Amino acid sequence: HQSDVLGVYRMVDTYNDRPVYKQEGGENYIYYSSASSSWLVGTVVGHQYGWLRNSSTAASSTRWLPDLSSGWEYRPLVRGEDSLSSWQGDDGTLRIESLRDVEKVTELIRDIKNAEE
């Protein structure tokens, strides 16, 4: 599980003519990489590697992140030969969406993280 990337992200800047979102209380960002034609979740804006990505056909033309409702993949935490290049798209629940009730979502995320400990 990649629970460290869960959370509320707020728009803080722009990069590659698209919004950059910063994780509240964390060190992750969501940004668009023109080099890989994908949206990424990672700790360094502009880096081509991250924990989550969306390199679907729609990703390169999407300027507003909540419009990407599917196509998200995660990088497995298991270290191996292919760990940098193996992306998994088998989690149908993985999504990024705009929120209306931030407090409720923050509580749910805290519960998920506490359950993993």
Side-chain angles (χ1 to χ4, degrees), residues 9 15 24 35-36 43 52 57 69 72 74 79 86-87 89 115-116:
Y9 289 76
Y15 180 75
E24 278 188 4
S36 62
T43 56
L52 303 175
T57 306
S69 57
W72 289 96
Y74 65 94
R79 297 277 183 226
S86 66
W87 289 92
E116 289 182 352

Side-chain angles (χ1 to χ4, degrees), residues 25-94:
E27 56 186 41
N28 293 295
Y29 295 88
I30 305 172
Y31 57 92
Y32 180 78
S33 167
S34 58
S36 62
S37 298
S38 58
W39 283 88
L40 293 162
V41 178
T43 56
V44 180
V45 174
H47 205 275
Q48 292 185 47
Y49 301 102
W51 301 110
L52 303 175
R53 79 167 179 188
N54 191 318
S55 59
S56 64
T57 306
S60 61
S61 61
T62 300
R63 297 202 175 281
W64 183 239
L65 189 61
D67 291 342
L68 275 180
S69 57
S70 63
W72 289 96
E73 302 170 299
Y74 65 94
R75 184 184 306 281
L77 292 175
V78 177
R79 297 277 183 226
E81 266 181 52
D82 301 334
S83 66
L84 288 179
S85 60
S86 66
W87 289 92
Q88 303 293 316
D90 59 355
D91 185 347
T93 65
L94 187 57

Side-chain angles (χ1 to χ4, degrees), residues 93-104:
T93 65
L94 187 57
R95 65 187 182 277
I96 293 177
E97 58 188 32
S98 58
L99 301 175
R100 301 194 193 310
D101 191 349
V102 173
E103 292 304 318
K104 183 176 181 180

Side-chain angles (χ1 to χ4, degrees), residues 4-32:
D4 288 347
V5 299
L6 294 176
V8 173
Y9 289 76
R10 297 193 187 270
M11 191 169 77
V12 293
D13 204 348
T14 59
Y15 180 75
N16 284 326
D17 199 31
R18 289 175 174 82
V20 171
Y21 304 87
K22 170 81 169 86
Q23 182 184 29
E24 278 188 4
E27 56 186 41
N28 293 295
Y29 295 88
I30 305 172
Y31 57 92
Y32 180 78

